[in-house]
Amino acid sequence: MDLQGNRGHPMKEQPLSRRHSRLDGESRGTACQTSALDPRFHGEDERDFRRLKVPGLGFVIILVGLFGLSCSQTPNTGEDAEVTTRGSVEVTAELVEIRGEFVDRADYDYAFVMQYKITVVHRGDIEGDLLYIAHYNPQKPRDRVADARVTDVGGELKKFSAGDVHRMALEVPIDDYYMGGIINRYFEDYSGPIYWAVWTNPVSK
Amino acid sequence: MQPERRGMADYAFAHPPYNLLLLRIELVRKFWRCEMPIRLFLTLLFLFLASIAQAASEDDLQKLREEVRSKGWIAYSSRSDNGTWDLFLSRPDGSDRHNLTNTPDFEEAAPRFSPDGKKILYRRLEKGSTIDHDQWGFQGQLVISKADGTKRENLGEEGDYPWAEWSPDGTQIASLTKKSIQIIDLDTLEVIREIPRKGIYQQLFWSPDGKWFSATGNHGGESWTVVRMDIETGEVNALRSHKTCTPDWYPDSKSVILSSRPAGQPGDDGYGYTQLWRVDGEGKDQEFLYGQDGLHIYSGAVSPDGDYLLFTKCPDDGGGAERSGGTICLMRASDAPTIGGPSPDLRKVHPDVNDGPVLDIDKGWEPHWTFKEIVVIP
């Protein structure tokens, strides 16, 4: 036994360059010829061949599985019993912009106005294709946002990101439904109604 | 070492953050180099001057106490011996203190004298309720009683008549609800007028001349803005924006006292400390009244003659309503601006202050003042 732990196996006795050359067809033939004289060598070669084939096969299976899974899943429309029944307006809309930073104070409750572009109006009458919607304490996941001050908000959305699509139950005007600080960074550009987000679910694009 | 120390001293004396410290070190060194009799003399001189300064300060406080003692009463909420919030009445200097409610089964908070000083309105909460410094006007039940705490009458149910406030003649209350500002007749409890609230969301106060409301609301895209509403037209104008709240009227109805936390303060990792300000009804004339590094100033109120200011100071933002309040203080309006304690950050921004005497009255929250004489039966 040498310092590498080799025990005099025929393969291990071959020069390094020779062992590497077994990966091409010519050298594999040479190896088979050699293996005909030594059954142990033949078995190892098959295992090597399987080592080459099996991971590739697994990869293909996983890919096919994932493809099948993605084909079989229906896209998330955000529809649920809450969003379809709460509020007087229900839309699917793309979050176009979050203007500025959220307030970084855990003890500071506020509503934050964001700009949306409407994709579908499910319920209610809305003019135009842009909506300005205030979300309560936007840094919190919607399923944990309700508190003593605002009890009737929620949803499945975890995080607000521009470009995402949301299905929302809304009320308007906000002053009739929410009483608290509102950060509206569109004040200079827009003077129309601000919608109050009651329920917010994510939608697959 | 000597030249190096001299260089350091030169640098220090040229740089304000270090010059006072270095000056003190030099003085101490010189002091210890003096002969013993001189050291003794200097020590006695220092103690003498310090005692004079202390006596002068105490004398100022005593003068202020005597000045205000007979000027009616203040009502405020404070923790009583049983641990709950009760309403207390005391002379403006803190003497002659009475527990008006003494109810171990309830929490009582935020008393407001009627304009004639004969009644108070306040909120009564279930025992153990935490008073929210922003939401207290929505909490509990509205109670109106005589100013001495007797003849209590509960109005409505839990949460009814939020942010109730006396009309100038005491026959009506205004209430800030989600839908509108309502004016309610106290005899019939009928809503006689509704005004859109225009973004106002808490702390509604009616001016003594009856023409205006002041309150905290959203205005111009900014939250936490103190606004003034013209009651006749419903028009709103901003008085002071950015982290500003708890307004109350001066007796002339031309200005409000309010709490404000200006941006750019270095204290509390940039969060800053809330200060007391006076702002005129147009929002143009803004006067710093009182502040102190390390403490938040809330519960601003003005004496009925406009000569004195009440406020609380507390390390907690919000005035400490959630726990036991802050220290209720009184100062002369003519001593504004005044800064409490060393407050190096605040003194940089306001170098010319009066540093007038400030009385510590009691531990509590939301004091209110009347000149009406009240007979309290112990």
Side-chain angles (χ1 to χ4, degrees):
Chain A
M1 190 198 297
D2 61 22
L3 289 173
Q4 304 295 318
N6 293 332
R7 292 171 188 261
H9 189 281
M11 265 304 290
K12 302 281 168 59
E13 283 167 4
Q14 291 178 60
L16 193 62
S17 59
R18 175 76 179 139
R19 272 180 269 159
H20 284 185
S21 70
R22 287 172 63 228
L23 291 172
D24 59 60
E26 188 188 348
S27 58
R28 189 178 294 127
T30 311
C32 284
Q33 283 163 13
T34 312
S35 69
L37 304 171
D38 185 346
R40 288 177 305 171
F41 185 79
H42 178 78
E44 176 146 324
D45 187 58
E46 274 195 341
R47 279 197 298 276
D48 282 355
F49 182 65
R50 268 187 233 121
R51 274 192 212 113
L52 285 172
K53 283 178 77 178
V54 169
L57 197 65
F59 181 67
V60 170
I61 289 168
I62 289 167
L63 266 184
V64 169
L66 284 174
F67 180 73
L69 202 63
S70 67
C71 287
S72 67
Q73 267 191 340
T74 51
N76 183 5
T77 63
E79 184 176 344
D80 66 16
E82 303 288 348
V83 80
T84 52
T85 54
R86 289 172 178 259
S88 54
V89 174
E90 183 189 346
V91 298
T92 296
E94 181 187 347
L95 176 52
V96 177
E97 184 188 38
I98 300 170
R99 189 170 281 187
E101 300 290 318
F102 295 144
V103 177
D104 193 18
R105 288 282 303 186
D107 56 352
Y108 179 75
D109 297 322
Y110 64 103
F112 191 93
V113 178
M114 305 181 199
Q115 188 189 53
Y116 279 86
K117 187 173 186 182
I118 299 170
T119 312
V120 183
V121 178
H122 303 281
R123 282 186 290 137
D125 295 324
I126 290 178
E127 288 179 8
D129 61 346
L130 285 179
L131 276 186
Y132 293 84
I133 299 174
H135 290 279
Y136 184 57
N137 283 343
Q139 281 173 307
K140 294 182 179 174
R142 296 300 87 188
D143 59 355
R144 285 192 277 131
V145 73
D147 59 19
R149 180 198 283 255
V150 176
T151 55
D152 57 347
V153 292
E156 298 301 320
L157 185 72
K158 300 297 177 199
K159 191 170 185 274
F160 288 94
S161 303
D164 286 355
V165 179
H166 303 150
R167 184 159 178 161
M168 293 167 286
L170 308 170
E171 291 286 14
V172 70
I174 187 171
D175 269 4
D176 286 357
Y177 300 92
Y178 167 70
M179 214 168 171
I182 302 170
I183 296 174
N184 178 10
R185 298 197 171 120
Y186 297 93
F187 177 78
E188 299 286 335
D189 315 330
Y190 172 76
S191 58
I194 301 294
Y195 287 76
W196 170 238
V198 179
W199 208 260
T200 308
N201 289 340
V203 174
S204 306
K205 284 192 207 174
Chain B
M1 287 303 287
Q2 192 68 17
E4 192 183 332
R5 202 182 71 213
R6 187 175 175 76
M8 215 169 80
D10 286 345
Y11 173 85
F13 282 108
H15 292 78
Y18 306 106
N19 56 6
L20 269 178
L21 179 68
L22 261 282
L23 181 66
R24 282 175 198 156
I25 291 169
E26 286 299 312
L27 283 174
V28 169
R29 280 183 178 162
K30 280 180 183 167
F31 174 79
W32 284 108
R33 281 184 203 135
C34 292
E35 296 295 323
M36 187 59 168
I38 296 173
R39 258 191 275 168
L40 188 64
F41 171 75
L42 288 172
T43 305
L44 289 172
L45 182 67
F46 174 78
L47 290 173
F48 176 68
L49 291 173
S51 65
I52 286 176
Q54 177 68 26
S57 168
E58 184 52 42
D59 192 41
D60 283 348
L61 287 172
Q62 190 55 34
K63 269 186 196 166
L64 181 55
R65 280 191 199 100
E66 287 165 8
E67 201 175 298
V68 298
R69 185 167 295 148
S70 61
K71 290 181 181 290
W73 296 85
I74 60 166
Y76 55 96
S77 5
S78 185
R79 294 272 186 196
S80 67
D81 293 341
N82 63 47
T84 66
W85 285 95
D86 280 336
L87 300 188
F88 287 82
L89 197 67
S90 81
R91 292 295 186 181
D93 66 343
S95 63
D96 207 4
R97 182 176 184 262
H98 301 271
N99 187 333
L100 280 186
T101 48
N102 203 9
T103 49
D105 296 330
F106 292 100
E107 316 278 346
E108 282 110 350
R112 299 278 299 178
F113 286 110
S114 59
D116 64 5
K118 292 179 180 173
K119 293 179 179 177
I120 48 172
L121 64 72
Y122 57 94
R123 305 218 61 104
R124 191 177 74 166
L125 292 73
E126 291 297 318
K127 184 181 180 178
S129 304
T130 300
I131 297 171
D132 184 311
H133 69 269
D134 280 330
Q135 300 287 297
W136 60 265
F138 297 110
Q139 293 182 289
Q141 194 174 22
L142 178 65
V143 180
I144 292 182
S145 75
K146 285 180 71 178
D148 63 2
T150 60
K151 291 197 174 176
R152 288 169 205 166
E153 186 186 354
N154 302 334
L155 271 73
E157 302 298 321
E158 173 91 11
D160 284 352
Y161 307 111
W163 299 104
E165 160 69 343
W166 294 106
S167 66
D169 64 3
T171 63
Q172 301 165 341
I173 54 168
S175 174
L176 175 63
T177 72
K178 205 177 265 185
K179 294 282 182 189
S180 63
I181 296 169
Q182 298 179 335
I183 295 176
I184 298 148
D185 183 83
L186 274 176
D187 281 340
T188 63
L189 293 181
E190 279 180 21
V191 177
I192 55 176
R193 191 176 165 202
E194 284 196 83
I195 307 165
R197 65 183 174 88
K198 300 264 182 83
I200 289 171
Y201 55 83
Q202 61 192 47
Q203 298 151 352
L204 182 76
F205 297 101
W206 204 328
S207 68
D209 67 4
K211 293 179 180 173
W212 313 96
F213 288 129
S214 68
T216 304
N218 300 299
H219 189 77
E222 279 263 7
S223 59
W224 297 106
T225 297
V226 166
V227 299
R228 181 183 70 163
M229 175 183 274
D230 183 325
I231 296 176
E232 194 176 328
T233 65
E235 290 300 310
V236 167
N237 67 289
L239 302 190
R240 188 174 169 88
S241 291
H242 187 78
K243 293 171 184 170
T244 299
C245 64
T246 56
D248 201 359
W249 288 97
Y250 275 71
D252 64 1
S253 300
K254 290 179 178 168
S255 298
V256 298
I257 189 170
L258 51 81
S259 291
S260 180
R261 192 166 62 254
Q265 298 182 67
D268 195 10
D269 294 330
Y271 185 76
Y273 297 102
T274 314
Q275 306 158 4
L276 199 64
W277 286 71
R278 182 193 67 81
V279 183
D280 79 321
E282 300 298 325
K284 290 173 182 164
D285 180 20
Q286 313 239 343
E287 179 191 8
F288 168 66
L289 299 175
Y290 184 87
Q292 187 165 346
D293 286 352
L295 297 173
H296 295 274
I297 313 301
Y298 280 98
S299 303
V302 186
S303 63
D305 59 3
D307 288 347
Y308 304 94
L309 310 176
L310 288 171
F311 57 87
T312 60
K313 53 184 184 182
C314 179
D316 300 332
D317 190 14
E322 286 78 0
R323 294 198 269 189
S324 298
T327 303
I328 298 174
C329 299
L330 181 150
M331 65 178 271
R332 289 188 194 96
S334 58
D335 283 335
T338 280
I339 291 177
S343 302
D345 293 337
L346 198 50
R347 286 181 195 280
K348 275 182 206 162
V349 182
H350 302 282
D352 299 319
V353 292
N354 294 321
D355 279 343
V358 175
L359 289 181
D360 288 358
I361 296 170
D362 196 0
K363 188 98 172 155
W365 185 64
E366 287 292 322
H368 196 227
W369 196 327
T370 182
F371 278 176
K372 172 83 179 170
E373 266 310 311
I374 299 166
V375 179
V376 185
I377 300 163

